[in-house]
Amino acid sequence: MKPYRLAVIPGDGIGQEVIPAGVEVLRAIAAKQGTFAFEIESFDWGSDHYRRHGVMMPADGLDQLRRFDAIYFGSVGDPEIPDHITLWGLRLAICQSFDQYANVRPARLLPGIEGPLRKGKLDCVIVRENSEGEYAGQGGRSHRGLPEEVATEVSIFTRRGVERIMRFAFDLAMTRRRHLTVVTKSNAQRHGMVLWDEIAREVATDFPDVEVRFELVDAMTTTFVLKPESIDVVVATNLHADILSDLASALSGSMGIGPTANLDPERRFPSMFEPIHGSAFDIMGKGIANPLGSFWTGALLLDHLGEAAAAKALMTAIEEVTASGGPRTPDLGGQAGTADVTEAVLSAIAAG
Ligand code: NAD
Ligand code: MN
């Protein structure tokens, strides 16, 4: 029996609802497969920890996480604490310190689910640069509170950072329909974005089988809505892909469906897996959060661990529930709770 050490950080808001459900599902899949098991440790880091200790996680938090095979994460964000404190104190601290530079976000209409689009099929993967760009953290504020106050927010694009995410995206495109859309805003942003396009062209010469399309981010939003079937793999900056992937998740039916893998492709550090959504203040504590995004995220986690058969079995169980008109949470037009959907997926796993 192969043991995997899994760090679980439910975090805030509905993270505390969908992650325990996801852990149940991961344990069930492991039991069903019978060849591996999870050794799970949970961490109560997040906004309550901040209220008690003034920090989102302990000073040695990263050292504690380093020895795990993977991290299963919920969300951060609290109505009483500024978002930049919660995000930088936990999620970005982990992603950036562990150099999880490839943020991978599949989006697809699961069987039986009708998205908001009247026509066109959505089945894509967005690759988000996750270590620099607009979220590099460079900048500052001077003359605080005075009329001449100034703030800078500097985007950082390094040749190394852009090239490694490009190679990752091209490699992924080779495993799919061999089509890659490179998204930038290189008409208006003449430095970093032009470097991005140049490096894409350079890397493309190593992947002659991949068809490459260059698209500006504003136009890309319309492509998602009007011609989703033309999109396969997309590579974009930290900010652009953050925005496009929320759009893609909504187009696949709900913000509660999209999964995310924050990967260190070189496996120097544990990678982190999380649903795409945040704390969802408007529904937290009500027991109605859609757990499908955290389940799908579990499948990405299993794939990363090399448990492809288990990942496939989990996706099959999820799709059986969506296809068969099983219980649906309100975001998908139903009246079921998180627990009902979890039960249905657990039954599908047991029957599988
Ligand atoms: P959000 O994703 O939390 O919510 C957006 C909308 O989608 C809400 O109407 C919400 O009810 C709905 N939604 C999201 N997940 C759902 C689910 N599983 N089931 C049903 N409905 C769901 O985004 P927001 O409102 O912009 O952010 C709220 C807080 O979360 C903020 O503090 C923000 O900083 C934080 N946030 C954290 C992460 C993260 O930890 N990775 C990501 C995004 C936002
Ligand atoms: Mn986001």
Side-chain angles (χ1 to χ4, degrees):
M1 188 79 83
K2 210 168 169 187
Y4 293 116
R5 284 158 308 171
L6 183 63
V8 174
I9 310 175
D12 301 334
I14 61 168
Q16 295 189 8
E17 303 169 43
V18 297
I19 292 303
V23 167
E24 263 190 86
V25 161
L26 280 174
R27 283 200 194 278
I29 276 285
K32 179 81 181 174
Q33 298 281 311
T35 51
F36 65 93
F38 286 108
E39 287 171 6
I40 291 179
E41 199 175 318
S42 278
F43 297 87
D44 66 350
W45 303 342
S47 294
D48 283 338
H49 190 277
Y50 182 88
R51 268 185 279 272
R52 284 196 303 272
H53 306 287
V55 284
M56 295 290 289
M57 67 171 159
D60 68 346
L62 294 170
D63 283 333
Q64 292 191 47
L65 293 177
R66 214 178 291 269
R67 60 198 168 82
F68 287 90
D69 294 309
I71 304 165
Y72 191 40
F73 187 88
S75 70
V76 285
D78 184 279
E80 293 175 353
I81 306 173
D83 286 341
H84 65 275
I85 291 181
T86 55
L87 196 66
W88 279 95
L90 192 57
R91 185 182 170 275
L92 286 178
I94 297 170
C95 289
Q96 296 198 352
S97 304
F98 287 167
D99 205 17
Q100 295 162 347
Y101 65 83
N103 175 298
V104 181
R105 298 184 150 173
R108 146 168 94 83
L109 266 179
L110 297 177
I113 294 196
E114 278 182 30
L117 294 175
R118 271 183 292 131
K119 56 184 167 66
K121 209 169 142 277
L122 178 71
D123 181 357
C124 70
V125 181
I126 297 178
V127 175
R128 167 183 175 189
E129 202 297 314
N130 211 31
S131 70
E132 53 177 38
E134 307 86 344
Y135 300 178
Q138 296 228 8
R141 288 170 69 172
S142 305
H143 312 300
R144 276 196 188 239
L146 298 173
E148 59 272 40
E149 180 162 11
V150 56
T152 58
E153 191 77 51
V154 182
S155 298
I156 299 294
F157 298 99
T158 64
R159 177 168 284 279
R160 185 179 151 75
V162 178
E163 183 171 344
R164 66 184 183 175
I165 199 66
M166 268 323 149
R167 290 202 177 276
F168 182 92
F170 273 98
D171 278 335
L172 180 64
M174 285 298 289
T175 69
R176 292 179 47 101
R177 301 201 300 268
R178 302 189 174 188
H179 187 282
L180 177 67
T181 309
V182 177
V183 173
T184 60
K185 187 64 187 168
S186 50
N187 55 345
Q189 298 185 299
R190 311 174 276 178
H191 311 299
M193 295 287 77
V194 171
L195 175 69
W196 186 278
D197 280 351
E198 281 173 16
I199 293 174
R201 288 201 174 84
E202 285 168 27
V203 173
T205 61
D206 289 340
F207 296 88
D209 295 337
V210 177
E211 189 189 332
V212 187
R213 183 168 73 209
F214 289 84
E215 197 149 333
L216 299 173
V217 66
D218 40 354
M220 191 65 187
T221 61
T222 67
T223 303
F224 263 103
V225 175
L226 301 174
K227 285 188 196 157
E229 68 284 351
S230 74
I231 303 171
D232 189 30
V233 178
V234 177
V235 63
T237 69
N238 218 329
L239 173 66
H240 291 166
D242 190 5
I243 297 167
L244 291 175
S245 55
D246 269 24
L247 173 63
S249 185
L251 294 178
S252 73
S254 165
M255 275 298 291
I257 290 180
T260 302
N262 298 287
L263 301 177
D264 165 22
E266 276 93 58
R267 295 178 185 256
R268 299 155 295 170
F269 303 98
S271 291
M272 182 159 84
F273 300 82
E274 55 173 351
I276 198 170
H277 61 74
S279 299
F281 301 148
D282 49 342
I283 58 165
M284 64 186 187
K286 296 186 177 162
I288 55 167
N290 189 341
L292 291 179
S294 58
F295 298 165
W296 189 347
T297 295
L300 299 184
L301 190 156
L302 289 164
D303 253 329
H304 181 73
L305 293 175
E307 299 294 345
K312 193 153 184 283
L314 175 49
M315 281 317 290
T316 303
I318 293 170
E319 291 181 19
E320 271 172 28
V321 171
T322 58
S324 68
R328 292 198 177 172
T329 43
D331 55 306
L332 289 175
Q335 293 181 330
T338 311
D340 305 313
V341 180
T342 307
E343 274 313 311
V345 171
L346 288 171
S347 303
I349 291 170

